[in-house]
Amino acid sequence: MLGQSSIAEFKKLYHNYEFEYVGLQKFKGLAQEIPIFELKSCYSEVSEILGSHKELDYIIKHLEKIINFDPSNIWLYTTLIDIYTQKQKYKKVEALCKEAISIDNTVANIHSELASSLLKQKKYEESLSYINKAINLRPNLWYLYGTKETSLIFLGRYNEAVDTCRFVIDTSPRWYLQREYYHYYNIAAAYARKNDISKALLNIKKAVKVG
């Protein structure tokens, strides 16, 4: 069984950038020698390395093996969801999110990832439904509202989109808006679709000023 000392060694190795590739090879070697479900505690460290080396298929293969041993582990699902999102496999993301929600429907990020994958598939009504569930679970996660705004714009519900953007702008912390100023762009997009060009340009200027 993989001991805590080996896990600590992995962590030290993975966080040292110049040895990333060595760490990856060492992990691969151990993965062949140790039952895969005993490596669970190392995946949080190795996933970044696998991702940076474009070896996402490798970690998918082993995470899916682990799920067979631990089918109710939400963390495993969230990791797979992240990887398939990187690969832009949005139908797979949708399926994994729905499986995860059937196990635990209280994780806002899974509802959010599902909404984003549906948005990419142009399933705007369904996307809006799931992002609203995410917001109900964690109303102070301001980044969630961006998916809602976009869904509303594509549904032609421009006034609701503008109201949602303004809610975030009026209530979120200043540091958030300085980093995530796209809410102004979403207001601009909504007004542009309403052919109100002056208000669209005004909000683009605000986005540029804030950003």
Side-chain angles (χ1 to χ4, degrees):
M1 182 175 180
L2 192 64
Q4 290 299 316
S5 60
S6 297
I7 295 170
E9 185 181 352
F10 275 149
K11 290 183 178 181
K12 182 178 179 181
L13 192 61
Y14 294 154
H15 286 293
N16 189 338
Y17 179 80
E18 61 184 309
F19 293 117
E20 277 190 353
Y21 189 73
V22 176
L24 173 61
Q25 298 308 310
K26 183 171 182 179
F27 179 87
K28 280 188 168 183
L30 278 173
Q32 302 304 314
E33 299 169 10
I34 301 171
I36 193 65
F37 59 90
E38 295 184 358
L39 289 173
K40 284 190 298 183
S41 54
C42 293
Y43 270 92
S44 60
E45 305 302 326
V46 78
S47 59
E48 294 180 13
I49 309 307
L50 289 165
S52 66
H53 285 280
K54 310 296 183 185
E55 300 202 24
L56 298 177
D57 290 338
Y58 177 83
I59 195 168
I60 286 172
K61 172 185 170 184
H62 286 277
L63 283 173
E64 288 179 343
K65 284 185 180 180
I66 292 174
I67 284 180
N68 290 332
F69 292 95
D70 195 1
S72 62
N73 191 322
I74 291 296
W75 179 85
L76 297 176
Y77 279 96
T78 59
T79 305
L80 276 171
I81 288 164
D82 287 343
I83 292 170
Y84 276 112
T85 298
Q86 289 183 55
K87 290 172 69 67
Q88 300 182 356
K89 303 290 187 181
Y90 299 118
K91 287 186 178 180
K92 183 66 176 179
V93 173
E94 177 185 353
L96 285 167
C97 287
K98 288 180 176 178
E99 286 180 39
I101 288 170
S102 72
I103 297 166
D104 184 349
N105 65 358
T106 65
V107 183
N109 189 57
I110 296 175
H111 289 281
S112 173
E113 293 287 355
L114 176 52
S116 296
S117 71
L118 292 164
L119 188 62
K120 293 289 186 180
Q121 298 176 69
K122 300 183 180 181
K123 299 177 180 179
Y124 304 125
E125 287 283 3
E126 199 175 355
S127 174
L128 182 61
S129 174
Y130 279 104
I131 200 61
N132 280 335
K133 290 176 182 177
I135 290 169
N136 287 337
L137 287 166
R138 297 291 300 277
N140 291 331
L141 287 182
W142 304 109
Y143 68 86
L144 298 176
Y145 292 84
T147 302
K148 179 173 182 175
E149 294 160 10
T150 306
S151 296
L152 287 168
I153 289 169
F154 278 117
L155 287 168
R157 294 161 62 174
Y158 306 128
N159 291 338
E160 291 177 68
V162 170
D163 288 345
T164 303
C165 294
R166 284 181 173 157
F167 170 77
V168 176
I169 290 167
D170 291 342
T171 59
S172 64
R174 183 175 180 81
W175 61 262
Y176 170 80
L177 283 179
Q178 289 175 332
R179 189 183 67 187
E180 306 291 349
Y181 46 87
Y182 62 84
H183 298 283
Y184 289 104
Y185 284 117
N186 282 343
I187 293 178
Y191 279 125
R193 287 180 174 237
K194 292 176 68 176
N195 291 318
D196 193 334
I197 304 305
S198 61
K199 287 185 179 179
L201 291 173
L202 176 64
N203 281 279
I204 289 173
K205 289 178 182 178
K206 287 181 179 179
V208 172
K209 183 178 180 180
V210 172

